[in-house]
Amino acid sequence: MVADARSCSPSMIHPTPRLRFAPSPTGPLHLGGARTAMYNWAAARAMGGAFLLRIEDTDQARSTEASLQIILAGLRWLGIDWDEGPEQGGAFGPYFQMQRLDRYRAAAERLLQSGHAYRCYCSAERIEAVREAQKAQKSAFLGYDGHCRELSPAQRAEFEQRGVVPNVRFRMPSERTLRVHDLILGDVEVNTRDFDDWVMLRPDGVPLYNFACVIDDIDMKITHVVRGNEHFQNGIKQRLLFEALGAECPLYAHIPLILNKDGKKLSKRDADTNMLDYRDKGFPPEAVFNYIALLGWGFSGDRDVFSREEMVQAFRIESIGKSGAKFDEEKLRWMCGEYVRRTPPPLLLARALPWLTPALPAVVHAARTHAAWLENVVACYQERIALYGELGDKIGWLFADPVLDDAAKKNVDKDPAGRSWLAAYAAHLEQGALPPSWPADRQGVDEVVRLPSKKDQPEVACAFWTPARIEADCRAFVEQLGVKFGSFVHPVRAALTGTDKGPGLFDVLFLLGAETCARRLRAVSDAS
RNA sequence: GUCCCGGUCGUCUAGUCCGGCCCAGGACCCCAGAUUUUCAUUCUGGUAACACGGGUUCGAAUCCCGUCCGGGAUACCA
């Protein structure tokens, strides 16, 4: 008999699309979970429906409040909000499965009455033994053997008398082919003979995943289920349960898994798959969102960078890819750089501040008194970092006289006369009009002159030298000195910043200001 | 073992439904060059793929069959 699972057809009965993400609080939110949540969220938003969070906490041994909080924080960090669920409420609650036990018991009772379920008195040991035997015989079928399927009332009474508390199993049709439609996989044919009679309810009345999930999906009027491919077989069990309950089942979309470098399912035990690790390392959340979305879904053939809003505009469940995707940290990193570069400096500064202050306590003060200056500093590094967390390592030289690294020393000593140029330049600069150095009052220069300076930038009126003016002056100075511009510039940069990398030299001079530049140039010049 | 799914550059993918516009496009990475006061950014160019074998067809990445490889599932976890 082939049953066309037509009962699982589009949701004309529920006019409003309702989707859910149903994590179990047994660990952190990992990448795969985040992606599943995101696709559900995006589909709900795209269809103008509701997105809800349901907490599947029936594994009491492993569920923790801490995990729940981490999951919620991870979702919020990514910008995934929910209409119903924890800390949000809603008309279809409660949203914690352990608070819905009465619902499951009632449903189990109905199924027992109708014969779709039965009580199983088998011990864990017996089940284990059956499995071992099946393996030993190389049986095609692995699973519960249906021992208690057709117990007589007398047999049942005997077990009850002995005080054996049964669990409740779903009675799978023994030999039935069904064709199911999946939004991603298309039409798939399976036979119930490959499934065993699975446990719905434990002896203590706590439901198992497949059971609780269906009861809740019915109660919460879920219309579309987007979840990992590892649930495909569960989906078969669940469809049959919907049928037994006389309910319409949602549309299913089983999405491919995210794979690690070795091509294996990404494990939630992998430390670096915890969403909050990305937050704590200073990844821009929008970039992580964008990158994860890309793991299996494309905005278009020629665009990788898109916003949440654009995704919602374009998202369709059916357009999720069919094959698994490997997580590529390099591309994620590139994506982060992309977002950092697009962030307006004041916002970038605000975002990066938490990573700056532990390394550089002075930043706290600077943020209050020299905000525009700090914004210029950040702007100068915008195209040099990918993570907020990387800024702190790079800008220390602005707050304390640096120790020269090897490359810097080499640049200083490249020309025997190099150190003497530094002293001369220091003296020369003192005749000029460099802005005052932090922490002195910079008198508003940073509001007027925006960095990083570009070649074609128009001149601005300013009481102090702008980077363009500093450069013009420097070139004239160097010409008088009679050396090559390039060989002059490198020792200066080294003395000022302690490295051979960084913003344009004249931005550096502008940022550092008169006193600091002179001091550092002399210090290196004298150190010979 | 059994069942299910998948397989386009190293990686993420577009194209596959409705065969020709694809001797396969974009992005990351890598390499070379340009710009430049360094690094970075930016720009230009380059290397690199339709898993394999059979069909069907005037013509196949696209349709069919088989093989191989990969993954998932087979819990009183979710």
Side-chain angles (χ1 to χ4, degrees):
Chain A
M1 161 169 90
V2 173
D4 209 349
R6 252 322 136 57
S7 55
C8 297
S9 64
S11 49
M12 286 167 186
I13 292 174
H14 311 307
T16 319
R18 291 176 56 83
L19 292 88
R20 44 67 168 187
F21 175 56
S24 67
T26 54
L29 177 68
H30 54 115
L31 280 164
R35 187 182 64 153
T36 301
M38 170 191 299
Y39 287 161
N40 276 289
W41 173 87
R45 296 285 173 262
M47 295 187 285
F51 174 66
L52 49 130
L53 228 50
R54 179 174 75 221
I55 306 305
E56 310 213 327
D57 53 357
T58 57
D59 185 344
Q60 296 172 88
R62 296 195 298 140
S63 293
T64 65
E65 172 68 20
S67 289
L68 172 66
Q69 289 309 323
I70 288 170
I71 290 168
L72 299 185
L75 291 171
R76 288 196 173 108
W77 180 68
L78 282 172
I80 296 173
D81 58 339
W82 52 98
D83 306 309
E84 301 170 27
E87 302 176 10
Q88 187 67 230
F92 299 82
Y95 296 89
F96 289 82
Q97 290 187 327
M98 287 307 286
Q99 293 170 25
R100 307 175 57 83
L101 296 182
D102 52 335
R103 308 278 320 173
Y104 310 130
R105 282 184 196 137
E109 202 46 54
R110 250 182 300 149
L111 261 1
L112 246 12
Q113 292 296 321
S114 65
H116 290 287
Y118 62 91
R119 293 190 171 84
C120 169
Y121 298 88
C122 292
S123 66
E125 293 73 36
R126 196 191 94 80
I127 292 188
E128 182 59 25
V130 166
R131 179 175 310 279
E132 287 308 315
Q134 288 166 339
K135 277 186 186 158
Q137 292 167 227
K138 293 195 179 346
S139 162
F141 176 83
L142 289 179
Y144 183 62
D145 61 356
H147 181 77
C148 296
R149 229 177 170 199
E150 310 296 347
L151 249 31
S152 68
Q155 287 170 305
R156 254 205 313 273
E158 196 198 320
F159 279 118
E160 297 285 349
Q161 211 152 42
R162 289 208 329 247
V164 180
V165 186
N167 54 35
V168 180
R169 285 187 189 268
F170 184 73
R171 191 189 301 273
M172 287 293 277
S174 54
E175 187 77 23
R176 186 174 147 198
T177 302
L178 55 168
R179 203 186 342 270
V180 299
H181 184 76
D182 187 279
L183 263 19
I184 310 292
L185 271 17
D187 292 320
V188 180
E189 215 171 83
V190 291
N191 194 298
T192 54
R193 79 169 84 91
D194 299 310
F195 296 81
D196 69 352
D197 289 344
W198 47 279
V199 176
M200 300 183 343
L201 225 47
R202 297 180 175 98
D204 63 1
V206 177
L208 254 37
Y209 170 69
N210 283 120
F211 184 53
C213 178
V214 167
I215 303 308
D216 291 346
D217 283 346
I218 293 172
D219 284 353
M220 297 176 185
K221 299 204 183 322
I222 300 302
T223 59
H224 305 250
V225 172
V226 181
R227 79 219 312 188
N229 200 242
E230 77 259 34
H231 287 298
F232 182 81
Q233 321 308 57
N234 288 328
I236 303 300
K237 298 175 183 175
Q238 292 176 17
R239 284 171 194 267
L240 259 9
L241 181 51
F242 273 102
E243 187 184 276
L245 255 9
E248 187 193 26
C249 78
L251 258 17
Y252 287 104
H254 290 96
I255 63 176
L257 274 10
I258 300 182
L259 279 13
N260 62 23
K261 274 196 182 63
D262 307 323
K264 300 258 196 282
K265 176 181 174 180
L266 253 198
S267 161
K268 76 167 71 170
R269 281 152 206 89
D270 278 318
D272 63 342
T273 61
N274 183 347
M275 279 321 302
L276 295 189
D277 287 346
Y278 291 96
R279 180 193 67 183
D280 297 343
K281 287 177 184 165
F283 283 68
E286 295 84 355
V288 175
F289 181 100
N290 193 156
Y291 177 72
I292 293 176
L294 227 35
L295 248 26
W297 183 78
F299 180 81
S300 72
D302 57 1
R303 241 185 90 190
D304 286 346
V305 182
F306 50 84
S307 66
R308 285 187 194 93
E309 293 69 29
E310 288 173 314
M311 179 182 184
V312 166
Q313 281 290 320
F315 191 75
R316 285 185 315 116
I317 294 174
E318 295 86 340
S319 61
I320 301 171
K322 282 177 164 38
S323 51
K326 287 183 187 169
F327 178 65
D328 179 6
E329 275 193 66
E330 299 241 47
K331 188 152 185 177
L332 203 210
R333 209 191 137 66
W334 165 81
M335 185 71 80
C336 290
E338 236 9 69
Y339 275 85
V340 163
R341 265 167 256 135
R342 288 160 198 237
T343 308
L347 179 58
L348 184 54
L349 173 59
R351 289 281 189 98
L353 218 43
W355 287 270
L356 256 30
T357 47
L360 303 162
V363 168
V364 180
H365 184 221
R368 256 198 310 274
T369 62
H370 290 64
W373 176 71
L374 251 192
E375 281 164 19
N376 267 341
V377 169
V378 167
C380 282
Y381 277 92
Q382 194 153 18
E383 54 199 33
R384 277 168 254 263
I385 61 166
L387 313 183
Y388 304 142
E390 290 168 351
L391 198 53
D393 304 334
K394 297 192 189 286
I395 64 171
W397 58 270
L398 281 141
F399 298 91
D401 292 352
V403 176
L404 272 55
D405 66 21
D406 290 345
K409 282 183 196 143
K410 219 168 128 188
N411 281 344
V412 168
D413 294 321
K414 195 167 267 172
D415 191 297
R419 287 177 195 260
S420 68
W421 303 338
L422 298 182
Y425 191 43
H428 172 78
L429 285 176
E430 278 165 341
Q431 312 301 311
L434 249 35
S437 297
W438 143 268
D441 180 8
R442 304 248 305 162
Q443 300 176 33
V445 268
D446 303 298
E447 280 84 351
V448 182
V449 179
R450 293 192 51 193
L451 302 185
S453 44
K454 297 271 189 276
K455 275 266 163 321
D456 46 3
Q457 209 166 269
E459 265 304 313
V460 291
C462 181
F464 299 101
W465 281 359
T466 62
R469 179 74 178 75
I470 300 168
E471 174 168 6
D473 172 76
C474 179
R475 286 188 186 272
F477 176 80
V478 171
E479 194 160 338
Q480 252 185 5
L481 209 56
V483 300
K484 265 175 51 194
F485 187 65
S487 43
F488 176 81
V489 139
H490 297 306
V492 173
R493 165 185 301 286
L496 257 21
T497 69
T499 80
D500 63 342
K501 303 171 174 48
L505 216 219
F506 307 106
D507 286 356
V508 167
L509 283 152
F510 178 83
L511 247 14
L512 245 21
E515 300 78 10
T516 301
C517 285
R519 180 178 69 249
R520 291 186 187 178
L521 290 169
R522 290 222 168 82
V524 173
S525 173
D526 295 347
S528 48

